[in-house]
């Protein structure tokens, strides 16, 4: 079991909380948000679907240049989590979210150029 703590936290989304992997800072662990009832089941279903999709991508031998690679699931002290490659900037900081760039108009042009590169 991997032990996580709040000092490893770096982001959260609509379905998961993200932590830097304590043994490998090139990886992160995404833990599903805890909630009651229908929302929890919906979150679990979405995560299973995403992990299956990543599994298919891995079998297809795609380029991972623009995607965070899924590495599997793991038990943690915060519950079951999914391990992914942690994307970092050139300065070694955890990369900013898409939402961050959308909130900074001066960065939009740079984002558009990267979008074209991704296509």
């Amino acid at each position: 079991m991997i032990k996580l703590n709040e000092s490893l936290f770096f982001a959260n989304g609509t379905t998961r909380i993200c932590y830097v992997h304590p043994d490998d800072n090139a990886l992160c662990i995404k833990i599903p948000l805890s909630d009651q009832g229908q929302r929890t089941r919906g979150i679990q279903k979405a995560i299973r679907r995403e992990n299956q999709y990543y599994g298919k991508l891995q079998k297809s031998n795609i380029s991972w240049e623009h995607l965070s690679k899924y590495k599997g699931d793991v038990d943690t002290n915060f519950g079951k989590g999914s391990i992914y490659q942690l994307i970092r900037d050139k300065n070694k900081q955890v990369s900013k979210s898409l939402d961050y760039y959308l909130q900074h108009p001066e960065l939009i042009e740079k984002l558009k150029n990267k979008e074209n590169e991704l296509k």
Side-chain angles (χ1 to χ4, degrees):
M1 175 184 293
I2 293 179
K3 302 259 187 218
L4 300 174
N5 62 60
E6 292 308 315
S7 71
L8 299 168
F9 168 84
F10 69 90
N12 63 286
T14 56
T15 60
R16 292 186 269 195
I17 301 172
C18 303
Y19 298 89
V20 175
H21 193 296
D23 301 325
D24 186 344
N25 70 0
L27 300 174
C28 67
I29 300 174
K30 297 181 179 185
I31 305 292
L33 290 170
S34 295
D35 205 316
Q36 298 296 321
Q38 186 65 32
R39 178 160 162 74
T40 300
R41 286 189 292 279
I43 288 171
Q44 294 295 339
K45 185 177 179 180
I47 291 169
R48 275 194 307 277
R49 185 174 45 244
E50 179 179 308
N51 290 348
Q52 287 172 346
Y53 180 70
Y54 269 88
K56 288 179 184 178
L57 290 176
Q58 287 174 328
K59 289 178 184 175
S60 298
N61 216 13
I62 66 157
S63 167
W64 290 94
E65 183 178 4
H66 296 291
L67 290 173
S68 175
K69 194 169 187 179
Y70 170 63
K71 304 284 188 171
D73 293 327
V74 65
D75 289 323
T76 78
N77 56 312
F78 292 161
K80 190 171 189 144
S82 299
I83 300 174
Y84 288 86
Q85 173 189 9
L86 180 56
I87 306 300
R88 293 183 177 270
D89 293 335
K90 290 178 184 176
N91 65 4
K92 307 291 186 214
Q93 296 297 311
V94 174
S95 294
K96 305 278 191 264
S97 68
L98 177 60
D99 195 42
Y100 171 87
Y101 288 98
L102 295 175
Q103 293 176 16
H104 292 81
E106 69 278 11
L107 300 173
I108 295 292
E109 194 59 38
K110 189 175 188 179
L111 183 62
K112 286 180 182 177
N113 291 337
K114 291 298 180 184
E115 179 186 24
N116 290 333
E117 186 180 312
L118 179 60
K119 287 179 185 177

